Amino acid sequence: MSGDPWTWRTRDGDPGRVATILPGQGYTAAAPLLSYAGAALAGLGWTVRSLLWSRPPGSRGEATEAYPRVVRDAVAGAPAAQHLVVGKSLGTLALPVAVELGLPGVWLTPLISARGTAEVRAAALALADDGAPPALLVGGTHDELWDARVAAASGAGVLEVPGADHSMEIPGDWRRSLEILGEVTSAVEAFAGRWEP
């Protein structure tokens, strides 16, 4: 939509499988977790749409308004496609609309703790309901926005990494941080592999 403070980078693939990548506030779609997730999805043949903010969102409220709208627009633009949402941190503000629309999602460092966002926490818990869409929650035990109890109660797939922070890294240990990047990317690939053409 004209005037929006973002653009899209699209890697064309199967038009019947569309993945939308939503970045965090300071964690762009070019940062490792999202870049490699996009590469894994493209490798599986998905069309991958990555949202690129022209400037960081000015507030959590701006992202709360924007992300559900772009997810709805993606579905409206390809109503017959299988959709998948990959959100990192602030991008997990789309979790409530994904649950509402029945869209599967990979939610990296979701805002599910008491320091996070009540709507995202409630949506994560709603994943346990009958008929809820498949989901993968990924977080680290040293991330103040992660809540292992909420993740476990969600009924979603969970990848929890001991010692990882909000960037899914171990400060001061680049080798382990690279291993974690590989583990997360492999989990994204396995999750998305459920929808083979």
Side-chain angles (χ1 to χ4, degrees):
M1 183 180 294
S2 178
D4 288 327
W6 62 77
T7 58
W8 291 99
R9 182 182 70 222
T10 302
R11 293 185 225 184
D12 291 328
D14 179 356
R17 292 179 296 150
V18 178
T20 298
I21 294 184
L22 303 176
Q25 184 159 14
Y27 200 95
T28 72
L33 289 171
L34 294 178
S35 177
Y36 278 89
L41 291 164
L44 291 172
W46 288 73
T47 291
V48 181
R49 304 166 65 248
S50 298
L51 186 142
L52 308 174
W53 287 95
S54 56
R55 53 152 179 80
S59 67
R60 188 177 283 188
E62 183 178 14
T64 299
E65 179 183 332
Y67 284 154
R69 179 161 63 90
V70 300
V71 169
R72 290 182 192 281
D73 288 350
V75 173
Q82 171 62 60
H83 289 270
L84 170 66
V85 183
V86 179
K88 165 75 173 87
S89 187
L90 211 60
T92 68
L93 292 168
L95 178 54
V97 74
V99 171
E100 174 192 334
L101 298 176
L103 303 180
V106 176
W107 308 104
L108 306 172
T109 65
L111 309 178
I112 57 173
S113 77
R115 298 176 61 111
T117 302
E119 293 81 6
V120 175
R121 184 182 180 100
L125 291 169
L127 292 169
D129 296 345
D130 287 342
L136 174 64
L137 304 179
V138 177
T141 60
H142 285 187
D143 178 1
E144 293 183 346
L145 296 171
W146 176 254
D147 187 321
R149 291 169 299 179
V150 171
S154 72
V158 175
L159 173 58
E160 182 179 80
V161 179
D165 63 13
H166 193 61
S167 294
M168 292 304 294
E169 296 177 354
I170 307 292
D173 190 344
W174 66 266
R175 288 180 177 84
R176 179 62 186 129
S177 296
L178 283 176
E179 290 173 354
I180 294 166
L181 176 60
E183 291 167 13
V184 173
T185 304
S186 294
V188 172
E189 182 180 56
F191 183 82
R194 301 178 184 193
W195 295 278
E196 291 294 331

